[in-house]
Amino acid sequence: MNILEILKVIIIGIVEGITEWLPISSTGHMILIDELIRLNASTEFKSMFMVVIQLGAILAVVVLYFKKLNPFSRGKSSKMRRLTIELWKKIIIACLPAAMLGFLIDDWLDAHLYNGFVVSMALIIYGILFIMIENSNKKRIDSIRSVHAIDYQTALFIGFFQVLALIPGTSRSGATIIGGMILGASRAVSAEFSFFLSIPIMFGASLLKLVKFGFHYTAAEVVYLLLGMIVAFVVSVFSISFLLNWIKKNDFKFFGYYRIGLGLIVLVWYFVSSLMG
């Protein structure tokens, strides 16, 4: 363990904290950042590390929305407790498709899809979709303007969109936000529900990676994990606030253009690396 590796972990944590919540693909950025600043650790540890530090980002949602997500918060009426419990049921239902499929094909995804070409294509395709959806929604009146107004069927359909995020470069938040908007939810509701879906899905993904890696770490690996999670948590608090403020005044087309631009850069980088390799 040295200062350079600590700085790498901090950078990775910052990237995770920013990209986990913005619809620009955290997994895609994490793959790319690993190509640029390779952490001096085993391949197995890095594969686990890149997923588990997302727990820090997820804890930011838990902290920021603790009262809203806790059915037993003081001051809540019996009706709000019931609505909160129902919201959790909808969250679990929405997480089932991606959780089940992810468990079955996790190793295959790692072996075949975690590369620059797949990331670039996903960035570009979903960037175009964001722009198309925003253009088509200019005059639409949103039918769902509260997370509590999402019914069980809509929650399940949003969960099917989340399955698309198993492809690196797609963006879990991006896929679920697009799904929510297509199904009639406002940008704010789609983003908020996407935040909530991250809690069980990322806890599950992290647990799966931890079990596969085994619970044997060097002192340096423990420091890397804890530091990465702490940095991701702090940055996530600001990222979530930024996104919620952004969508009050802006649409998602900026992120669509960003994805397309980044995707083209990654595509060129991938082909150049392939030719040189």
Side-chain angles (χ1 to χ4, degrees):
M1 183 171 60
N2 57 50
I3 296 298
L4 180 59
E5 297 305 309
I6 291 294
L7 288 174
K8 289 179 183 178
V9 170
I10 291 173
I11 293 171
I12 293 170
I14 292 171
V15 172
E16 163 59 26
I18 294 173
T19 60
E20 182 63 41
W21 308 113
L22 305 185
I24 53 178
S25 175
S26 62
T27 302
H29 280 77
M30 297 294 269
I31 292 172
L32 298 176
I33 201 72
D34 184 52
E35 291 292 331
L36 296 173
I37 52 167
R38 293 185 179 275
L39 190 64
N40 185 21
S42 68
T43 302
E44 293 77 14
F45 175 79
K46 285 196 292 185
S47 176
M48 179 272 296
F49 171 81
M50 293 295 188
V51 173
V52 174
I53 66 165
Q54 294 176 357
L55 283 178
I58 303 310
L59 288 175
V61 175
V62 174
V63 171
L64 290 173
Y65 288 95
F66 184 78
K67 184 175 181 179
K68 188 166 189 174
L69 291 173
N70 181 12
F72 307 108
S73 292
R74 293 181 62 183
K76 275 193 173 180
S77 64
S78 57
K79 179 182 178 181
M80 283 307 302
R81 289 195 182 100
R82 178 177 56 79
L83 288 174
T84 305
I85 292 171
E86 286 185 0
L87 176 60
W88 271 109
K89 291 178 182 177
K90 295 168 188 175
I91 291 170
I92 298 302
I93 287 172
C95 287
L96 288 177
M100 291 188 293
L101 188 59
F103 178 79
L104 293 174
I105 64 172
D106 182 62
D107 291 335
W108 184 88
L109 291 170
D110 283 346
H112 297 283
L113 297 187
Y114 279 67
N115 59 70
F117 180 74
V118 173
V119 170
S120 65
M121 288 295 97
L123 284 167
I124 293 169
I125 291 169
Y126 283 90
I128 294 171
L129 280 174
F130 259 124
I131 296 169
M132 291 174 61
I133 290 170
E134 285 290 8
N135 285 336
S136 66
N137 284 354
K138 281 183 177 179
K139 297 181 180 180
R140 189 193 73 173
I141 298 176
D142 301 316
S143 59
I144 302 174
R145 305 190 65 83
S146 164
V147 288
H148 296 296
I150 296 174
D151 59 29
Y152 288 97
Q153 180 177 325
T154 302
L156 180 60
F157 286 161
I158 293 175
F160 288 136
F161 277 93
Q162 187 167 230
V163 170
L164 299 173
L166 294 174
I167 301 171
T170 298
S171 170
R172 188 203 57 77
S173 63
T176 49
I177 288 171
I178 284 177
M181 290 172 64
I182 289 175
L183 295 167
S186 67
R187 291 189 195 96
V189 170
S190 297
E192 195 170 76
F193 194 63
S194 175
F195 296 161
F196 299 162
L197 294 187
S198 70
I199 298 173
I201 205 73
M202 292 315 306
F203 268 111
S206 298
L207 180 61
L208 179 61
K209 289 290 185 182
L210 285 169
V211 170
K212 285 187 175 182
F213 181 78
F215 295 92
H216 45 83
Y217 306 93
T218 65
E221 289 172 342
V222 171
V223 171
Y224 294 161
L225 273 177
L226 292 177
L227 179 60
M229 290 172 62
I230 291 170
V231 173
F233 169 82
V234 173
V235 176
S236 289
V237 171
F238 292 99
S239 295
I240 292 170
S241 298
F242 167 80
L243 183 60
L244 291 176
N245 287 326
W246 172 275
I247 58 182
K248 290 177 182 177
K249 302 176 182 178
N250 305 279
D251 58 27
F252 284 116
K253 285 197 287 187
F254 169 81
F255 299 113
Y257 291 122
Y258 172 86
R259 291 178 64 101
I260 293 170
L262 180 61
L264 291 173
I265 292 171
V266 173
L267 190 60
V268 172
W269 165 81
Y270 173 78
F271 281 115
V272 170
S273 298
S274 299
L275 291 173
M276 293 179 63

